[in-house]
Amino acid sequence: DRAWHPNVVRVHATGRWPDPVEGLPYFVMDCVEGLALHLWTEAVNPTFRQVAMVGGSVAMTLGVLHARGVLHRDLKPEHILIRAREQVPVLIDFGAGDQTGAATLTTTTLPPGTLHLRSPEAIRFQQRHWRQPELRYPYREADDLYALGVCLYRAVTGHYPFPPGQEPELLAVAITE
């Protein structure tokens, strides 16, 4: 499995219950006991070095995944859990993820994601091509790394560089400018 890594939550089984065709979808995954990145920084008050180590570990994990053609595409503080015992980050929720060779399931210009964590390049693409709904933004490794930078900014400062509650049009301008 291309997404296997010690710092990525493991999926052990998937299926539908109670009927294998029409039942509700389910996933059986590892239980990760820990807090989301932003809650961890608030609860533990880690040193800057500890936050940098966590950030470096996530970046290295993304590097391994990217080399295998796997993109997260919705990285946010809630998707980075810090294991309580070892203080090691674990990436979760690859629901919007993509991998080389996989069929495209999204029908929008941008993949599913969170606006205040989108890269300026992604927003500019959407602004340029909003009248061409058949075009798809070529999400790249740099987009995951940009989102990681925003997550770390939030972890260190306690707030996002651009307010998530801002009007989408104003937020897009703030990010791109």
Side-chain angles (χ1 to χ4, degrees), residues 12-103:
H12 298 282
T14 62
R16 291 184 171 269
W17 182 87
D19 180 75
V21 176
E22 296 180 13
L24 298 171
Y26 69 85
F27 299 90
V28 177
M29 299 183 285
D30 287 340
C31 176
V32 180
E33 292 186 29
L35 297 171
L37 177 63
H38 64 298
L39 299 175
W40 174 74
T41 57
E42 292 169 10
V44 174
N45 192 23
T47 65
F48 186 79
R49 178 184 171 92
Q50 288 172 303
V51 174
M53 294 296 288
V54 163
S57 181
V58 173
M60 289 175 30
T61 301
L62 288 172
V64 169
L65 296 176
H66 292 161
R68 295 177 185 161
V70 176
L71 299 167
H72 190 285
R73 299 197 324 172
D74 192 23
L75 195 63
K76 53 186 161 188
E78 296 84 354
H79 294 165
I80 303 171
L81 299 182
I82 310 302
R83 255 188 236 274
R85 206 172 317 152
E86 307 93 0
Q87 305 295 296
V88 172
V90 178
L91 300 181
I92 65 167
D93 197 349
F94 281 75
D98 192 22
Q99 64 181 351
T100 305

Side-chain angles (χ1 to χ4, degrees), residues 144-164:
D144 273 348
L145 295 176
Y146 178 86
L148 174 59
V150 173
C151 292
L152 294 172
Y153 184 97
R154 165 74 171 85
V156 171
T157 67
H159 58 86
Y160 288 102
F162 308 105

Side-chain angles (χ1 to χ4, degrees), residues 62 109 139 155:
L62 288 172
T109 303
Y139 196 94

